[in-house]
């Protein structure tokens, strides 16, 4: 079964925007593959404004969230794996959702256990 977190993030994003509020993401900036401006990271976390007026090319995918935003007037490409999203909420009232910590996915080149290659011992029972 596919993880529910990306679907929940999209649903809450739509709900926040539909209610004329500003969606913000709370991100664990220390996780692998997170690409955010380091100078805006505080205590290993960063809050990102992902409102339609603040970002360009927002992609709320099943594996990651990406967009182009401006930080201090300079453009920056943002990439956040879904596992790094700690929460999504409306800036105006704090309503949204905080997620439980999710372990980082293992690298694809990690060894996987070999399947048992022995043949099953079946016999006919009468």
């Amino acid at each position: 079964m596919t993880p529910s977190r990306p679907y929940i993030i999209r649903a809450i994003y739509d709900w926040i925007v539909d209610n004329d509020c500003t969606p913000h993401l709370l991100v664990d900036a220390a996780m692998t593959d997170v690409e955010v401006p380091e100078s805006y990271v505080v205590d290993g976390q960063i809050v990102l404004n992902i409102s339609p007026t603040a970002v360009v090319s927002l992609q709320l995918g099943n594996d990651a969230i990406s967009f182009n935003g401006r930080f201090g007037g300079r453009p920056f490409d943002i990439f956040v794996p879904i596992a790094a999203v700690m929460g999504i909420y409306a800036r105006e009232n704090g309503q949204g959702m905080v997620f439980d910590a999710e372990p980082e996915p293992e690298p694809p080149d990690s060894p996987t256990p070999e399947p048992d290659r022995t043949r099953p011992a079946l016999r006919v029972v009468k």
Side-chain angles (χ1 to χ4, degrees):
M1 193 168 216
T2 61
S4 61
R5 187 178 290 199
Y7 296 91
I8 294 169
I9 291 170
R10 285 191 292 269
I12 294 175
Y13 173 86
D14 288 341
W15 174 72
I16 292 170
V17 171
D18 288 350
N19 284 282
D20 297 321
C21 291
T22 311
H24 279 64
L25 282 182
L26 177 61
V27 175
D28 180 353
M31 284 191 81
T32 306
D33 297 329
V34 172
E35 294 176 18
V36 295
E38 290 296 321
S39 59
Y40 291 87
V41 173
V42 177
D43 296 329
Q45 301 176 350
I46 188 169
V47 176
L48 301 169
N49 176 351
I50 58 169
S51 70
T53 58
V55 300
V56 177
S57 302
L58 177 64
Q59 297 291 317
L60 299 172
N62 286 343
D63 299 320
I65 296 171
S66 63
F67 60 89
N68 184 279
R70 297 185 80 72
F71 293 83
R74 296 179 47 213
F76 198 92
D77 289 325
I78 304 295
F79 184 84
V80 178
I82 291 296
V85 176
M86 300 169 67
I88 180 170
Y89 64 93
R91 178 186 68 199
E92 291 78 3
N93 57 21
Q95 290 188 0
M97 180 173 278
V98 175
F99 299 103
D100 290 333
E102 193 171 285
E104 272 195 75
E106 290 187 30
D109 58 8
S110 65
T112 56
E114 287 292 319
D116 186 13
R117 299 276 183 205
T118 61
R119 299 185 90 181
L122 299 177
R123 58 189 172 132
V124 177
V125 179
K126 292 185 179 182

